[in-house]
Amino acid sequence: MATIEIKVAGTSSTASLLWARICKECGQQHEGQDSHLYEYQDEVDDELVCHICLQPLLRPMDTPCGHTYCFHCLSNFLKEQDFCPVDRQRLQLHQCRPSSLLVRNLLDKLIVMCPHHAECQQQMQRCELQPHLQNRCPAFRRLREEAEKRKRPAWNELKGRKGEGESSGDAKHSAAPSRNHTRDQPEPGLINPAYEEIEEDNTPLRSSLVAEANVVELFREEPEEELGFRIVGGKDTPLGNIVIQEIVRDSLAARDGRLAPGDHILEVNDVSLASVPHARAVAVLQQPSVLRLTVMQEKGFKSRDPRSDQQPSSSTVTLMKSQRNEPLGIKLIRKSEESGVFILDLLSGGLAAKDGKLRNNDKVLAINGQDLRHGTPESAAQIIQASEVRVNFVVMRPAETPEEGGSSRDGQHSRGSRRAPETQYFRRHSTYMKDPPGGFSSQEKTVSLKKEPRLSLGITIAGGRDCRSRLPIYVTSVQPVGCLYRDGTIKKGDILLSINGVDLTQLTYSEAVSVLKAQAAQSQVVLCVIQTLSEDSEEDPESANKDELDPVDDARDDILNWTPLWTRWLGLPSHMHWCRDIVLQKTNNESWGFSIVGGYEESHGQQPFFIKTIVPGTPAHFDGRLKCGDEIVAVNGATTVGMNNSSLIPMLKLQKNKVTLTVVSWPGSLV
C-alpha cells in the first residue's frame, strides 16, 4: 500500500480565493493543465497509483506494454519522449487505451474530503465530489454567489451608463475579453435592449444578467471522435465571438453535460479564439487530444424581486422509496426538437403519481446531483436504479399562463406544447432581399461537357427540401472516377442549381438523386452551380486531402460525415434562402431573451441581424427554436433590411406579449 502525499490548496482563506481560478470539478486551485487535486482519506493501493505523478490515477490509460498512467501525465510525457516511462519501450499516445471499467470504478470509489473543509466536513466517493460541489457544498455555493454578484452591475446601473446616442454601439461585436474574464463592463452585443425589460410601476424586474467563465475539459477516446457540438461566429463574421449553436444528442459533449447552446468559447488549450476566423477556430477544436475549453456561460437573469415567479423555473422534488427496488412509476422520453430528458407520463398508483409534485412534460435537469440537461432517458433510468431509497429530482417547467389556469395536472400547458406541429418554410420574399455579410459573396459557374452515356458524373450530394435546415442540394465529394473530376470546375461544397435546365433548388434529396441519374445518362450535360466565397477563408479542415483518398472509401466518408462550414452558407444569395416564422409569446414585461448584432453601420455598411445570445430562463430559450447564428429577416412581417440597431431594438421592445420573427437558419460547423 502506498501512502499518498496530498497537495492541498490553501483553505484558511477560502473566502478570498478567486472564483475563476477554482476548478469546478475538484474544488481546488491549480493551473489549468495540471491534474485535479483530491484529499484522499485512506491509503491507496499501489496498483491504482500513476508511476509518473505518484498520485491515484485520473483518467487512467493502459499502454500496450502493460503499464497504467494518468492521461494528463502520459500525454505530457510523450510530448517530449517516445517511450514508456517504466520499461522505455517505444510508445505513442494513440496506441494507448482507457483502462477497464473495473479499474475506473475502483478509482471513482476512493474516499475524498471536500476541499472546503473549513466550512464543509463532508466525505464522499471521488466520483461524487463534483455533484457535491455543484449542488450541496455551502462554501462552494457561497463563493459562486459572491462571484455572480461581481459579474454584472444591476440593470438600472447599466441604463445609467448609456448615453442617448449609444444604442447602435450595442450591435457591434465585442473586443477580446481579458484573461481574467471579469464582467465589470457589459460586453457590447451581449447585453442590449433587444431583451431589456420595460420598467413600469409595480412590475417585477430582473435586475442583472448572470454569466460566469468556466473551464471544461473534454477527452477524445479516439483521435477522430467528434466533440459533438456545432459552432457559429468568428472574427470574419458579424458575430465576432465563437458561439456554440447546438449540442449533438448522445455525443461526447452531451454526455459530459457542462456545455450548452449559447456558450461563448473564449480559449482552447490556452489559445485565444477572440480574434480568429471561423475556419481557424474549427481547426483548433479538432485537435486530436484533450481539449481544455474556457467558456463564458450565461446563467439567466437574477431577479431583484423574489416574488417574481411568472418565469419557467426549476424545482426540487424528493421521492422516498419504501425499498431500494421499488419503481417510481415514471415514463421518460426524449424530444426531437430539444435535448434532455422529459417526463412523458406518471403511472396511475405509482410513487410519483401519489406524491403529486412531478408532472407530465417536466424537463429533468438532474437526478441525485447528476446533470441531465443533455442526458438520455437511459442514463436517467440507470441513476434511478442505482439510487438508494431517496431520489432527488431537479425539474423545470414553464409557469402557467392566466388563460391556461392552474387546475391542469397533465402538464400539457407548457410553452413547448403550443408550438405548431410542423415548421412551414417559404422562399425569402422580394422585400427581404439583401446582400451577404461583408467579406462573403458567391459566383455562378456553368459546366458543359460531352460524355459517354454510361460514364458517371462522379459526385455525391447532400441537402434537399426535406433535410432538417432546408439546405439546398450541395456537392459533398468529387470522385476521380467521374467526368466532373477531370473537368475540375465543380468543387466540394458547390451548390447545385440545375442540370440540363431541370431546376434542382426545390427538390428533396431523393428527387435530386433521381434527376441527376436520369440527366447523367445523356451524352451532353450542362450543370449550373453556385460557389460561395469568403475573403478570410482558410482551407476547410474537414476536406483537406480528401480528394486524394481511395475513391470508394471517400464517397462513403463524405456522404456520412462531411458537412460544409457554417460560413459557407453566409455568401449564398438571398433568393436561395428558405425562411420560417417563429412566434414567441410572454405574459408580462419579461425579456424576450436574445441579443442581436448587425444592422447598418457607417464603418461596415449594411450587415444582416444575427442572434448572438439566447438567455436561459426566457421565452426564446424555452421555445427552443431560435438558435445562435440565426439571421432575423423580418419582425412582424416588417423587413429588417436597411435598419440599424437603434431602429430594430425599439421595434422589439414595443411587442408586449407576442412577436413573430422571420429567420433564416444555417447549421453550425460540426466539431
Side-chain angles (χ1 to χ4, degrees):
M1 304 288 283
T3 301
I4 304 303
E5 179 183 353
I6 305 301
K7 306 176 191 175
V8 182
T11 55
S12 61
S13 58
T14 303
S16 63
L17 294 178
L18 292 175
W19 173 253
R21 296 293 304 276
I22 294 178
C23 175
K24 306 310 183 291
E25 186 165 336
C26 70
Q28 301 274 18
Q29 274 194 308
H30 60 78
E31 294 299 323
Q33 296 297 332
D34 294 343
S35 296
H36 297 302
L37 305 176
Y38 296 96
E39 300 188 38
Y40 297 95
Q41 298 305 293
D42 302 310
E43 291 186 344
V44 180
D45 192 285
D46 285 334
E47 297 298 323
L48 299 178
V49 173
C50 172
H51 294 292
I52 296 178
C53 68
L54 302 182
Q55 299 289 318
L57 291 156
L58 296 170
R59 290 184 177 175
M61 299 289 290
D62 294 337
T63 68
C65 52
H67 301 103
T68 304
Y69 306 95
C70 301
F71 172 80
H72 274 297
C73 298
L74 184 60
S75 59
N76 289 335
F77 181 86
L78 292 179
K79 289 177 182 177
E80 306 293 335
Q81 308 293 340
D82 62 353
F83 53 80
C84 173
V86 173
D87 59 19
R88 303 181 73 83
Q89 291 190 34
R90 190 63 64 89
L91 180 65
Q92 293 182 341
L93 186 62
H94 69 82
Q95 298 174 310
C96 305
R97 291 291 179 266
S99 298
S100 68
L101 181 61
L102 175 61
V103 171
R104 299 201 299 271
N105 285 342
L106 289 173
L107 290 164
D108 283 343
K109 292 180 179 179
L110 294 176
I111 301 300
V112 300
M113 174 171 276
C114 176
H116 305 289
H117 44 69
E119 301 178 50
C120 177
Q121 290 78 41
Q122 291 292 317
Q123 296 183 11
M124 67 219 72
Q125 294 181 358
R126 193 174 78 178
C127 63
E128 296 175 349
L129 178 59
Q130 184 179 8
H132 165 78
L133 293 172
Q134 299 294 335
N135 300 288
R136 297 183 292 276
C137 177
F140 195 82
R141 184 187 310 117
R142 177 179 56 76
L143 289 171
R144 179 170 55 204
E145 291 175 351
E146 290 176 354
E148 288 175 353
K149 291 178 182 178
R150 296 191 297 268
K151 292 297 181 184
R152 292 187 186 274
W155 195 262
N156 57 351
E157 294 175 15
L158 287 178
K159 290 181 179 178
R161 291 180 187 172
K162 292 182 179 180
E164 291 184 358
E166 294 180 2
S167 62
S168 63
D170 288 335
K172 300 176 184 177
H173 53 70
S174 64
S178 60
R179 286 299 299 269
N180 62 6
H181 310 305
T182 58
R183 299 302 288 269
D184 293 334
Q185 297 293 331
E187 179 188 347
L190 194 55
I191 296 182
N192 67 34
Y195 53 67
E196 177 181 346
E197 282 120 316
I198 305 169
E199 286 193 80
E200 295 179 358
D201 293 340
N202 303 319
T203 300
L205 178 63
R206 291 169 300 177
S207 60
S208 60
L209 184 60
V210 178
E212 63 183 28
N214 289 315
V215 176
V216 176
E217 288 188 348
L218 298 176
F219 168 63
R220 288 185 171 98
E221 293 190 359
E222 299 293 338
E224 299 301 320
E225 182 181 11
E226 291 176 344
L227 297 175
F229 57 84
R230 295 182 179 274
I231 63 169
V232 296
K235 79 162 188 179
D236 51 338
T237 75
L239 269 68
N241 295 350
I242 298 296
V243 185
I244 295 178
Q245 182 195 60
E246 179 183 10
I247 304 293
V248 178
R249 177 181 292 170
D250 298 332
S251 65
L252 174 60
R255 293 191 299 271
D256 178 83
R258 288 175 289 175
L259 295 175
D263 289 355
H264 288 226
I265 304 178
L266 307 180
E267 294 180 350
V268 177
N269 293 349
D270 296 323
V271 175
S272 173
L273 298 187
S275 58
V276 301
H278 182 86
R280 174 60 183 160
V282 171
V284 170
L285 286 163
Q286 289 180 333
Q287 298 176 71
S289 63
V290 62
L291 291 183
R292 181 175 178 270
L293 310 181
T294 303
V295 296
M296 186 65 70
Q297 299 182 306
E298 298 293 342
K299 300 301 182 182
F301 287 102
K302 188 173 183 179
S303 176
R304 76 161 76 122
D305 185 348
R307 295 170 299 174
S308 177
D309 57 0
Q310 292 300 309
Q311 310 304 322
S313 59
S314 62
S315 58
T316 301
V317 176
T318 300
L319 298 179
M320 299 295 296
K321 299 185 285 186
S322 59
Q323 53 186 357
R324 180 170 179 174
N325 61 354
E326 180 185 4
L328 301 182
I330 301 174
K331 287 186 178 180
L332 301 173
I333 60 166
R334 65 175 71 186
K335 293 185 177 181
S336 60
E337 72 277 7
E338 186 176 353
S339 62
V341 180
F342 295 82
I343 295 178
L344 173 66
D345 192 20
L346 303 177
L347 301 182
S348 178
L351 180 59
K354 291 178 180 178
D355 179 79
K357 293 175 182 161
L358 294 176
R359 295 183 184 178
N360 295 358
N361 213 35
D362 280 355
K363 182 173 183 177
V364 181
L365 303 180
I367 298 178
N368 288 350
Q370 299 194 44
D371 193 335
L372 289 169
R373 288 175 299 168
H374 301 285
T376 64
E378 294 77 16
S379 59
Q382 291 175 359
I383 297 171
I384 294 172
Q385 291 168 3
S387 64
E388 301 295 334
V389 295
R390 178 189 295 267
V391 185
N392 294 316
F393 287 81
V394 179
V395 299
M396 179 173 65
R397 71 173 64 105
E400 295 176 359
T401 59
E403 65 271 18
E404 287 163 345
S407 60
S408 173
R409 293 295 301 269
D410 62 6
Q412 298 303 313
H413 54 266
S414 74
R415 296 181 184 182
S417 65
R418 295 203 301 267
R419 297 181 197 166
E422 184 176 346
T423 300
Q424 299 296 322
Y425 285 87
F426 53 89
R427 284 288 196 179
R428 189 162 180 155
H429 299 161
S430 58
T431 55
Y432 298 166
M433 297 300 176
K434 53 84 186 175
D435 293 329
F440 296 90
S441 60
S442 64
Q443 66 177 19
E444 289 195 21
K445 301 185 295 186
T446 300
V447 177
S448 179
L449 50 86
K450 294 183 178 181
K451 54 181 282 297
E452 294 293 331
R454 294 183 180 180
L455 184 60
S456 167
L457 293 177
I459 58 173
T460 57
I461 63 169
R465 183 166 49 84
D466 53 341
C467 78
R468 178 182 174 188
S469 299
R470 198 66 177 251
L471 299 175
I473 300 293
Y474 61 93
V475 177
T476 59
S477 72
V478 182
Q479 304 300 321
V481 296
C483 56
L484 290 176
Y485 179 84
R486 292 193 295 272
D487 177 82
T489 304
I490 305 299
K491 303 293 184 183
K492 180 187 294 185
D494 286 351
I495 293 146
L496 303 183
L497 299 178
S498 66
I499 182 169
N500 291 345
V502 180
D503 183 18
L504 300 172
T505 63
Q506 302 195 52
L507 303 184
T508 65
Y509 172 79
S510 298
E511 291 169 346
V513 169
S514 298
V515 169
L516 287 170
K517 286 183 177 180
Q519 297 301 319
Q522 307 296 322
S523 58
Q524 182 165 352
V525 172
V526 178
L527 191 62
C528 295
V529 303
I530 282 183
Q531 178 185 8
T532 56
L533 307 170
S534 171
E535 291 178 2
D536 294 326
S537 64
E538 297 185 9
E539 183 178 23
D540 184 341
E542 293 179 305
S543 62
N545 300 322
K546 283 205 171 184
D547 286 337
E548 299 176 8
L549 301 177
D550 178 81
V552 176
D553 292 338
D554 186 40
R556 176 181 174 82
D557 290 343
D558 278 331
I559 293 172
L560 295 178
N561 299 321
W562 189 84
T563 56
L565 296 183
W566 176 71
T567 48
R568 280 184 179 264
W569 303 114
L570 299 186
L572 201 62
S574 290
H575 66 83
M576 297 283 296
H577 293 183
W578 288 92
C579 303
R580 58 175 175 159
D581 286 338
I582 294 177
V583 179
L584 299 181
Q585 300 185 53
K586 60 180 182 178
T587 58
N588 53 26
N589 289 317
E590 63 180 306
S591 152
W592 288 116
F594 59 89
S595 69
I596 58 174
V597 292
Y600 179 80
E601 300 173 14
E602 289 186 5
S603 57
H604 295 90
Q606 179 65 45
Q607 296 280 2
F609 286 100
F610 288 95
I611 301 289
K612 184 170 185 178
T613 300
I614 296 175
V615 183
T618 60
H621 171 255
F622 285 107
D623 179 86
R625 291 174 292 176
L626 273 183
K627 298 184 183 300
C628 296
D630 283 359
E631 179 188 341
I632 300 179
V633 171
V635 176
N636 290 343
T639 179
T640 61
V641 176
M643 280 190 179
N644 56 27
N645 196 269
S646 58
S647 300
L648 180 58
I649 287 169
M651 179 186 294
L652 291 167
K653 289 173 63 177
L654 287 172
Q655 313 309 314
K656 296 289 187 180
N657 302 109
K658 180 179 178 181
V659 66
T660 300
L661 302 176
T662 303
V663 302
V664 174
S665 299
W666 303 117
S669 301
L670 183 62
V671 294

